[in-house]
Amino acid sequence: MTDLASVWPPAPIRTERLVLRPSEARDRPAFIELFASPEVHTYLGGPRPRDELERAVPEVPGRRPGVFVIDVDGAMAGTVTLERRDAQRPGHVRPDAGEAEIGYMLLPEAWGQGYAAEACAAALRWFARALPGEPVVLCTRTDNHRSTRLARELGFTEAERFEEYGAEQWFGVLTPVTPSA
């Protein structure tokens, strides 16, 4: 299992409508809004208090391997993450755990425009080239119908369901594909 830091950071990834890039200091207000938003955190355990975030969020938030800022027209619209799934959590496809797990969050004003699908697809293509043959998993609450629908559109197949964080979780797997040159 290759460490993601060995291939990070990639050059910015450009799609038709957005850019995936590492975070910058100018993204701090959008990160705070993302973590404080009750709409964004409906299925993620609830928002954090804004005053707490103002104190805790670093000058350049999200500056670590696997965190992409979704940039639309020069402004942060959300994030896509590819990080190793904690071995202590349920849901694994490898005996040694540590699969790559994709996650995403978008600010409410960016919802319903296809940005999550476009950003996740681009991040998954990059990941398949950077770490060929690595499986990717996605976990979301079963009652988050938009997220489970997106997972299926991205090619994830349901592997199991389990209880975690007080709710039933949908756990999907994207079968690794070795990209052609």
Side-chain angles (χ1 to χ4, degrees):
M1 175 173 31
T2 306
D3 183 15
L4 195 57
S6 68
V7 295
W8 191 265
I13 300 168
R14 297 180 189 287
T15 71
E16 186 177 322
R17 303 179 301 154
L18 53 86
V19 176
L20 298 182
R21 61 170 174 77
S23 66
E24 301 170 356
R26 67 185 170 114
D27 301 319
R28 188 175 187 275
F31 267 94
I32 290 171
E33 184 59 34
L34 198 60
F35 295 131
S37 169
E39 295 88 2
V40 172
H41 287 271
T42 297
Y43 300 105
L44 299 172
R48 291 181 51 195
R50 188 173 300 279
D51 61 334
E52 174 188 307
L53 290 165
E54 290 287 352
R55 288 189 304 276
V57 172
E59 182 180 330
V60 182
R63 193 68 169 205
R64 64 184 190 279
V67 178
F68 290 103
V69 163
I70 302 169
D71 185 312
V72 178
D73 296 328
M76 179 178 153
T79 62
V80 172
T81 59
L82 280 159
E83 300 176 297
R84 295 293 176 193
R85 185 164 176 84
D86 186 340
Q88 305 306 312
R89 293 184 63 202
H92 294 283
V93 295
R94 300 173 125 176
D96 60 345
E99 305 85 355
E101 180 173 19
I102 192 166
Y104 61 92
M105 292 188 293
L106 276 85
L107 292 165
E109 57 268 23
W111 292 2
Q113 299 177 55
Y115 294 138
E118 191 172 332
C120 288
L124 289 166
R125 283 191 301 274
W126 168 80
F127 186 82
R129 286 190 303 274
L131 298 173
E134 287 274 337
V136 180
V137 299
L138 184 150
C139 189
T140 187
R141 286 176 41 163
T142 55
D143 58 349
N144 187 346
H145 303 292
R146 293 174 80 170
S147 190
T148 55
R149 183 174 55 247
L150 175 58
R152 288 183 180 102
E153 289 171 10
L154 291 168
F156 287 83
T157 55
E158 184 175 344
E160 66 179 297
R161 292 181 184 210
F162 48 80
E163 184 82 13
E164 186 180 32
Y165 304 121
E168 184 181 52
Q169 305 293 318
W170 184 96
F171 180 77
V173 179
L174 183 65
T175 305
V177 177
T178 304
S180 55

